[in-house]
Amino acid sequence: MTAALVELADRPGIEAHDMSVAEYQRLGGGLPLLGRLVELLRVVKDESEIASLRTACELTDRAFADVAATIAPGMTERQVARALDTRMAELGADGPAFDTIVASGPNGAVPHHSPGERPIERGDLVTMDFGALYDGYHADMTRTVAVGAPSGWQRELYDLVLAAQRAGRHALAPGAGTGEVDAAARTLIEDAGHGEHFGHGLGHGVGLEIHEDPFLRSAGAGRLEDRVPITVEPGVYLQGRGGVRIEDTLVTRAGGPELLTRTTKELLVL
């Protein structure tokens, strides 16, 4: 326990980033600000927390396998998203961990595309970013699939992102710098001429929230600890054409990262 927390252990404090001014005033004001102290204390998980997260990821994997087998030209993005959410619930999830993303064809160039009524077409890449919520813990996984045989540029883009994702996963270790892990994946994408097409961080912590400390990004200065659940999710997005993102949830371990989302990362052709 940090000295700051010991000092505050017997009196209330507030998290200004989670409390409105009205709530603060209702409490009478004058309370010490905790900053991100609570979030930092939650970074390292115990084994019971990791077990809940592992179950959330297992439900995510199973839902993907069941729904991917049904995807066909003519289905809309929204239909696929609903199918994923429904299947996760049927398997025992408390609900989706966040708003499910399904982005097909040119919509795949938008990293946080909201699924709409666009019908999936033969020749599309389809990116699905989703996860199950179980016992309060959030899974997070992204897979990109091909509907029909992929074209040359699609295969090339997928192979690049897969190599970057593998490099990022292998860089995860207690003591590794968050910026160093980001660079392990980002350098491959930059060297391939797609640096400007990868505009977000490599990953983030997961747990009671879908986005938690630590964050893997190029400007990151922190270091990873043991037993930290974290995502690795490089992507390349080509405006007007489509994109590829591949994401896993893992846990840092002294002997190498534990992979929680186990669905194959080889390109599935539906």
Side-chain angles (χ1 to χ4, degrees):
M1 185 177 291
T2 66
L5 188 59
V6 170
E7 182 181 344
L8 294 169
D10 61 350
R11 59 195 180 98
I14 69 165
E15 296 180 288
H17 53 284
D18 279 336
M19 179 174 285
S20 69
V21 173
E23 290 173 320
Y24 179 66
Q25 291 175 336
R26 182 173 59 80
L27 293 173
L31 297 174
L33 302 179
L34 299 180
R36 297 193 62 80
L37 182 60
V38 173
E39 283 80 359
L40 293 176
L41 288 170
R42 284 173 33 212
V43 166
V44 175
K45 308 297 193 284
D46 63 33
E47 293 299 339
S48 67
E49 292 178 290
I50 293 171
S52 293
L53 184 56
R54 189 181 294 114
T55 298
C57 289
E58 289 171 355
L59 298 177
T60 303
D61 279 326
R62 291 170 61 189
F64 177 79
D66 292 344
V67 172
T70 71
I71 296 174
M75 289 183 70
T76 67
E77 296 171 338
R78 188 165 291 152
Q79 286 174 324
V80 175
R82 286 174 179 164
L84 288 167
D85 291 350
T86 298
R87 189 60 185 138
M88 287 189 291
E90 290 172 345
L91 290 168
D94 299 328
F98 53 94
D99 291 340
T100 294
I101 294 170
V102 177
S104 63
N107 291 338
V110 182
H112 295 101
H113 173 72
S114 295
E117 296 302 327
R118 182 187 185 275
I120 293 169
E121 300 176 2
R122 188 165 297 280
D124 281 349
L125 292 176
V126 181
T127 296
M128 290 163 276
D129 186 345
F130 66 103
L133 175 66
Y134 179 81
D135 194 29
Y137 287 83
H138 298 70
D140 198 356
M141 182 176 83
T142 305
R143 292 294 185 268
T144 300
V145 301
V147 180
S151 65
W153 74 267
Q154 290 173 329
R155 174 68 72 176
E156 181 180 342
L157 200 64
Y158 191 93
D159 289 346
L160 171 62
V161 174
L162 180 59
Q165 208 261 356
R166 185 182 299 114
R169 287 188 289 116
H170 289 173
L172 289 177
T178 56
E180 296 167 1
V181 177
D182 180 278
R186 191 174 301 276
T187 299
L188 290 179
I189 293 174
E190 290 175 342
D191 288 348
H194 287 295
E196 65 182 297
H197 302 136
F198 177 23
H200 57 75
L202 181 65
H204 56 86
V206 291
L208 293 175
E209 297 180 72
I210 187 58
H211 295 106
E212 297 188 352
D213 290 309
F215 292 88
L216 303 177
R217 49 195 172 201
S218 55
R223 295 200 170 272
L224 297 175
E225 299 180 69
D226 192 29
R227 302 196 319 273
V228 176
I230 198 161
T231 69
V232 175
E233 51 179 303
V236 175
Y237 311 96
L238 305 181
Q239 186 67 34
R241 300 177 73 187
V244 173
R245 182 165 68 256
I246 304 171
E247 175 187 23
D248 283 312
T249 296
L250 307 98
V251 180
T252 57
R253 301 281 193 183
E258 177 187 356
L259 180 65
L260 299 187
T261 46
R262 305 187 68 84
T263 294
T264 181
K265 286 171 282 294
E266 295 304 315
L267 179 59
L268 292 180
V269 179
L270 307 178

